[in-house]
Amino acid sequence: VDERNQLLDWHPSQELQSLLNVRSVIADDVAPAPPGNRVKTYADDPYYAFASYKRQDLARIAPIMQLVRDLGVPVWYDIEIPGGSEWDEVIEDRIAKSSFVIAFTSNAAIESKYVRREIKFADAIGLPVLGVLIENVELKHGLKMMMTQYQMLDAHARDFNTRLKQAVQRLFRNDKNGTSGGTWPR
């Protein structure tokens, strides 16, 4: 548990960001979460985004999930599956009840049959899918046909923070039932 929390709390130093010439994933107009906080998840909020990802990508996507949370949208991911639960039943339920799915797209995610199932299930029930490219990928295994209908965001683009905020705001306001996903906090 301690190792997992340390992993989720990790943020690159300013020096590392400048060496890599990567913008911070925390937008200028969004206050960062206090240090030491891990990504807040679904909890009891009826409106949330479902994160579809490959476990090995968690360190790369945690800052983006935190940014979404900082925008006022809870993010549910599989860390909250209770012990002894049938995980596929929980995943299906959480996707069906979410406002939208964030598909964190990497080569490992494309190869994961579980990530593909989550994305295909969301599409099958008419749920919006927000694709976030965390690395260059070749869409395959049925995802090329499915994901090309959605505008995907490149996490390395200079305007990523702005585009993510716009997308999340639009998707959160217009949930799958055509109603507001809640009061937009910003």
Side-chain angles (χ1 to χ4, degrees), residues 12 16 24 27 38 44 50 54 83 91 104 129 137 145 153 162:
L16 179 58
S24 168
R38 68 183 189 97
D44 293 321
F50 178 94
K54 180 70 175 164
I91 295 286
F104 290 101
V129 175
V137 297
M145 179 174 57
L153 302 180
T162 301

Side-chain angles (χ1 to χ4, degrees), residues 62-105:
I64 300 169
M65 290 194 300
Q66 184 64 49
L67 177 57
V68 173
R69 190 200 70 72
D70 289 345
L71 293 170
V73 178
V75 177
W76 189 93
Y77 64 115
D78 61 356
I79 193 112
E80 290 196 24
I81 297 176
S85 298
E86 292 188 34
W87 63 269
D88 53 343
E89 180 181 7
V90 174
I91 295 286
E92 180 180 304
D93 178 68
R94 295 299 186 244
I95 292 171
K97 291 179 179 174
S98 68
S99 295
F100 62 98
V101 170
I102 304 172
F104 290 101
T105 311

Side-chain angles (χ1 to χ4, degrees), residues 35-50:
N37 283 4
R38 68 183 189 97
V39 177
K40 181 181 175 185
T41 56
Y42 164 73
D44 293 321
D45 197 317
Y47 298 101
Y48 59 93
F50 178 94

Side-chain angles (χ1 to χ4, degrees), residues 100-164:
F100 62 98
V101 170
I102 304 172
F104 290 101
T105 311
S106 68
N107 288 305
I110 296 298
E111 294 300 324
S112 168
K113 68 180 177 182
Y114 301 107
V115 169
R116 294 193 309 265
R117 286 176 182 168
E118 292 167 356
I119 295 169
K120 290 175 183 181
F121 178 66
D123 185 71
I125 63 172
L127 201 60
V129 175
L130 174 58
V132 175
L133 292 167
I134 59 174
E135 67 186 30
N136 290 329
V137 297
E138 177 189 344
L139 294 173
K140 54 187 173 179
H141 307 302
L143 288 181
K144 185 174 186 178
M145 179 174 57
M146 183 157 308
M147 294 298 291
T148 54
Q149 69 182 317
Y150 300 106
Q151 178 65 33
M152 295 181 72
L153 302 180
D154 183 345
H156 298 22
R158 287 202 176 278
D159 64 345
F160 174 72
N161 294 341
T162 301
R163 295 187 68 207
L164 180 67

